Amino acid sequence: MRIARGISVTNTSKPISTAAAFDADAAAFFTAASITDTTQKSAVNTLVLSLKSANIWTKMKALYPVVGGVASAHAVNLKQPGTYNLSFATGWTHASTGMTPNGATYADTFLVPSTALSLNNTHLSFYSRTNVAANTHQMGSSQLTGEAQYLTLITRYVANTAYYAINVSQSNIGSTLVSNSDSRGFFIGSRTASNVVSGFRNSTEQLNGTVTSTTIPNTKVFLGAINAFGSAGAYSTNECAFSSIGDGLTDTDATNFYNAVQTYQTTLGRQV
Amino acid sequence: MEGRIVTNQKAQELQGQFIDSDTFLNFVQDINDVYFLFLSEQDEADVANTPYAYLLDLPLSPFVPKPSPPLP
């Protein structure tokens, strides 16, 4: 077929691949979580590439992108499918916007901070789509060693405060609270040194603290509640659209992390 | 908030039993230490296909949670 002077096109009968090339880690997640929707695949793939580009990916131990709308997909750890996959206690509702606990349930991450993380190099994150003031924890772990030792995120306590309690004792937990009257958004609590703990809501650093680390808990991290010395308590009703557990994040990391996650949520049409 | 009341013996017998590959039965004590089972609509559909389907016949009762220990 001649289409222009001096240019010809020959039909070689070779098939032309239209399948998008995905990052290998993203592709492994799609298989494990049975994700087939093209928008969801694109969102996750972009998220993975962004985290890798920002050198955040390697700091993650567990990444729950909460995509697919069903428990079997929401359970899968994007960082390493099959490791730290979630198990849900009855009482969760799963939807395309996220997963919502009923205020008397939790999900088990199987991640034990004292073995998977380091005392002065830890973060938790939680993307909440619910605005509620309640005496609840959105995720966390604790241990009783003389006094309670906490690794926990509280997005909006009854007194309109958020807690970014990353490896702190009960007597020091007050040093990790900040004023906060909206529990919607992406919350990150991070510790990068024995005297450096920070807390972010979206792109705003709400806590820039120096409270000393004490103990990293030896109980599994729960989502939708805190693991209170071995059993769930302080149950949440906040819809979760993303969560992670891993090494500590710098301020730059936290900003890049928020940008990547918010882009991800926007692509899925569920950003807050 | 409502859930299904079960005996202490039944709660201890069934605690942690999986109804599918990702979800397990969980019993929570109320303020009076009575065990409750909570099932979302999705859970109810899943339980209906298990040997625990009889739990769906239990009537719903009001649940009063235990207070969470206060933080500073």
Side-chain angles (χ1 to χ4, degrees):
Chain A
M1 176 176 67
R2 185 166 296 279
I3 58 175
R5 183 185 295 271
I7 299 174
S8 65
V9 176
T10 302
N11 182 359
T12 61
S13 298
K14 291 181 180 177
I16 299 172
S17 173
T18 57
F22 293 114
D23 174 271
D25 289 305
F29 173 79
F30 300 150
T31 300
S34 299
I35 301 296
T36 57
D37 180 85
T38 53
T39 300
Q40 294 172 355
K41 281 186 168 183
S42 175
V44 171
N45 191 63
T46 300
L47 173 68
V48 171
L49 294 176
S50 297
L51 297 182
K52 289 183 175 180
S53 174
N55 296 318
I56 300 172
W57 177 259
T58 56
K59 298 185 178 184
M60 298 295 156
K61 304 296 184 189
L63 272 174
Y64 304 108
V66 193
V67 67
V70 295
S72 58
H74 292 172
V76 178
N77 173 13
L78 168 59
K79 180 65 192 300
Q80 189 173 355
T83 302
Y84 304 137
N85 278 10
L86 297 172
S87 283
F88 297 98
T90 45
W92 288 81
T93 298
H94 299 271
S96 60
T97 54
M99 54 190 191
T100 307
N102 68 349
T105 188
Y106 67 99
D108 191 342
T109 69
F110 298 96
L111 189 150
V112 178
S114 61
T115 58
L117 303 170
S118 301
L119 174 64
N120 297 316
N121 189 25
T122 302
H123 94 269
L124 299 177
S125 82
F126 188 96
Y127 196 103
S128 167
R129 286 177 32 84
T130 304
N131 186 17
V132 60
N135 189 356
T136 65
H137 295 235
Q138 278 57 67
M139 64 187 299
S141 163
S142 63
Q143 176 181 348
L144 201 54
T145 304
E147 61 177 330
Q149 310 290 330
Y150 290 103
L151 169 59
T152 191
L153 275 185
I154 300 173
T155 56
R156 186 183 172 195
Y157 212 53
V158 284
N160 285 333
T161 52
Y163 287 78
Y164 300 97
I166 307 298
N167 304 335
V168 300
S169 62
Q170 170 79 28
S171 56
N172 284 333
I173 197 170
S175 299
T176 69
L177 75 81
V178 297
S179 178
N180 185 55
S181 59
D182 192 338
S183 62
R184 290 169 298 184
F186 189 41
F187 292 80
I188 305 170
S190 175
R191 177 178 288 283
T192 54
S194 63
N195 61 346
V196 178
V197 61
S198 53
F200 296 81
R201 175 173 178 260
N202 299 331
S203 57
T204 300
E205 186 173 30
Q206 293 189 315
L207 173 70
N208 182 2
T210 59
V211 61
T212 303
S213 60
T214 49
T215 297
I216 185 166
N218 63 0
T219 61
K220 297 178 290 186
V221 176
F222 287 169
L223 280 181
I226 185 171
N227 187 341
F229 322 131
S231 59
Y235 299 102
S236 168
T237 58
N238 294 54
E239 182 180 21
C240 175
F242 184 95
S243 182
S244 69
I245 307 167
D247 296 339
L249 302 175
T250 66
D251 291 0
T252 300
D253 289 338
T255 298
N256 290 335
F257 196 19
Y258 165 69
N259 288 337
V261 170
Q262 190 66 357
T263 297
Y264 168 74
Q265 304 291 9
T266 301
T267 301
L268 296 176
R270 62 186 196 184
Q271 77 283 0
V272 293
Chain B
M1 186 172 186
E2 293 185 319
R4 293 170 168 85
I5 293 177
V6 301
T7 64
N8 291 8
Q9 181 182 3
K10 184 60 69 175
Q12 288 163 15
E13 174 190 339
L14 298 182
Q15 175 64 38
Q17 297 295 313
F18 279 79
I19 59 174
D20 59 26
S21 61
D22 312 296
T23 304
F24 60 90
L25 294 171
N26 184 52
F27 300 87
V28 180
Q29 287 180 301
D30 75 352
I31 195 168
N32 297 313
D33 290 335
V34 175
Y35 278 103
F36 278 71
L37 171 66
F38 297 96
L39 299 173
S40 66
E41 290 183 10
Q42 294 160 354
D43 294 332
E44 289 178 348
D46 292 336
V47 167
N49 299 317
T50 73
Y52 313 115
Y54 66 89
L55 294 169
L56 299 172
D57 296 331
L58 297 173
L60 293 173
S61 302
F63 173 82
V64 179
K66 292 183 177 183
S68 301
L71 292 174

